[in-house]
Amino acid sequence: MAGEHHFKIVTLPGDGIGPEVVGAATQLLADVAERFQVSFEFIELLVGGISIDEHGSPLLPEVVEQCAQSDAVLLGAVGGPKWDTTDPDAPRPEQGLLGLRKGLELFANLRPVRVSDALIASSPLRDERIRGADLVVVRELTGGIYFGERGRNGDVAFDTCTYSVAEIDRIARVAFEAAEVRSKRVMSVDKANVLESSRLWRETVSSVGGEYPEISLDHMLVDNAAMQLVSRPADFDVIVTENMFGDILSDEAAMIAGSIGMLASASLGAGGPGLYEPVHGSAPDIAGKGLANPLATFGSVALMLRYSLGLEEAAAAVESAIDRVLERGLRTPDLATGADGEEEAGTEQMTAAVVAAMD
Ligand code: IPM
Ligand code: MG
């Protein structure tokens, strides 16, 4: 549990650019601590490929245990070409992340997507389409095809998508509650014209919706949602969907925000610590070069301050520091457009600028 002023944070830098962005986040948190008179104790542990190298397994049970006893978990990224394999028996870094989500019962993944005015030109989508877009993908995170029965039978392989009413019910409630403090609209995304699990999804979300009469609920098929998301993103608000659809749609939605280097996420469960991570992944092509955009991780830090530590003022301060730095023209390579007034920055300069903008 969170003490009033002292917080135990497990950091899991992981692979690729993970250590760079988590390092940047701990610098930012050191500044938050000073400014808001709180203290953070960081416990750095292994997950993903680095854990495979060290222990032969992507996630040790004691890491899950330590996370469970913390106030919040901050994760960088897992995975990389070094550990890519099609051998079904070889350990994979991604199993570390999935094991954490399952082990900590983090069934609700919130991925907010907001267009900062300063980044409108960084998006591949046209200005008039994305202006004003502000949505959140509420992704179910511990069920569906990611965790269903799977296997191989000779030259056949299978994965199954399974959902129970209880699993759908609890994620639907997260979405309706999120909508209550936003614009009171929920779009549930499924593939109910084909999948039985989606028909149960639609039925259950509708029935939970009956308990939230002030929220308007619509349903959309996932293929159509993928199209509408880039054609009229500003019309969406809360999108609730199952695990794999949420994985895919949230990467797509990142393009509205200009770069996947901007997308933060919070994974929340039934009362234990939350896990906060940037959506971008390990980006092995730029790892170790000091070029990684730390802003998705800073956004995740803001979500952590807000949802797990109850430090709303600090969360808002981080978010407005990010906005100010972008307004001033600072751009990591993923955000750069070459326009006048932009100043190129690496991870270190971006971090220093955000810390300075906390004033
Ligand atoms: C994500 C990632 C993960 C997922 C991978 C790394 C297992 O793509 O968090 O979106 O598919 O959930
Ligand atoms: Mg993904």
Side-chain angles (χ1 to χ4, degrees):
M1 281 315 296
E4 209 179 333
H5 300 295
H6 180 79
F7 301 100
K8 208 157 103 179
I9 314 268
V10 170
T11 63
L12 302 166
D15 309 317
I17 60 172
E20 293 163 72
V21 293
V22 169
T26 55
Q27 283 178 51
L28 176 66
L29 280 165
D31 183 77
V32 167
E34 219 171 278
R35 214 172 278 276
F36 293 89
Q37 270 125 52
V38 293
S39 63
F40 298 115
E41 174 189 347
F42 296 111
I43 303 160
E44 187 179 305
L45 301 171
L46 301 183
V47 68
I50 188 166
S51 178
I52 295 177
D53 289 353
E54 201 76 15
H55 303 296
S57 154
L59 180 68
L60 294 184
E62 47 264 44
V63 173
V64 181
E65 195 44 45
Q66 292 232 52
C67 290
Q69 284 164 16
S70 71
D71 293 306
V73 181
L74 183 66
L75 184 136
V78 297
K82 178 172 177 197
W83 305 281
D84 278 347
T85 168
T86 54
D87 174 358
D89 298 322
R92 279 176 292 107
E94 292 76 11
Q95 292 165 332
L97 182 53
L98 299 180
L100 269 173
R101 291 171 177 171
K102 198 71 171 176
L104 298 171
E105 271 193 85
L106 302 168
F107 65 86
N109 184 217
L110 273 52
R111 298 184 162 182
V113 180
R114 200 172 51 87
V115 181
S116 131
D117 280 349
L119 288 186
I120 289 220
S122 305
S123 171
L125 300 173
R126 280 213 306 274
D127 175 335
E128 68 272 20
R129 303 233 168 187
I130 58 170
R131 202 171 279 279
D134 181 356
L135 60 91
V136 57
V137 178
V138 177
R139 169 187 178 197
E140 200 290 327
L141 204 58
T142 51
I145 202 163
Y146 274 58
F147 294 96
E149 208 189 314
R150 70 193 53 215
R152 290 203 187 198
N153 277 326
D155 59 359
V156 173
F158 64 98
D159 300 273
T160 36
C161 180
T162 308
Y163 269 108
S164 69
V165 168
E167 286 173 308
I168 303 167
D169 183 288
R170 64 182 182 177
I171 190 71
R173 282 174 202 283
V174 172
F176 286 111
E177 264 143 47
E180 265 173 354
V181 294
R182 297 176 54 100
S183 67
K184 302 196 186 298
R185 287 180 293 131
V186 170
M187 176 65 77
S188 175
V189 172
D190 61 40
K191 188 71 186 172
N193 55 346
V194 177
L195 303 177
E196 200 52 47
S197 54
S198 276
R199 286 190 279 272
L200 184 67
W201 179 277
R202 193 174 281 216
E203 204 177 290
T204 309
V205 173
S206 297
S207 124
V208 174
E211 294 178 39
Y212 296 84
E214 72 289 5
I215 309 279
S216 81
L217 169 66
D218 288 294
H219 302 274
M220 198 180 266
L221 297 174
V222 64
D223 47 351
N224 186 26
M227 178 175 73
Q228 303 297 344
L229 205 49
V230 286
S231 115
R232 47 182 189 94
D235 290 352
F236 288 88
D237 188 2
V238 174
I239 297 175
V240 63
T241 191
E242 63 100 67
N243 204 343
M244 188 159 73
F245 297 160
D247 177 46
I248 298 168
L249 291 180
S250 58
D251 269 31
E252 188 192 15
M255 286 299 98
I256 302 165
S259 161
I260 197 154
M262 294 302 297
L263 224 59
S265 88
S267 302
L268 308 172
L275 181 143
Y276 299 85
E277 52 170 322
V279 175
H280 51 58
S282 61
D285 52 324
I286 58 163
K289 296 186 178 158
L291 298 175
N293 181 353
L295 297 183
T297 311
F298 293 172
S300 305
V301 163
L303 296 176
M304 176 178 95
L305 294 167
R306 175 171 298 130
Y307 293 132
S308 283
L309 310 185
L311 300 171
E312 173 57 37
E313 214 189 313
V318 169
E319 286 167 345
S320 53
I322 294 172
D323 281 343
R324 270 200 295 277
V325 164
L326 291 172
E327 273 154 32
R328 260 184 247 147
L330 223 57
R331 298 286 183 271
T332 42
D334 57 308
L335 297 174
T337 65
D340 282 351
E342 286 187 357
E343 188 189 330
E344 270 208 33
T347 314
E348 221 171 277
Q349 295 96 303
M350 192 55 117
T351 304
V354 171
V355 169
M358 292 282 287
D359 283 324

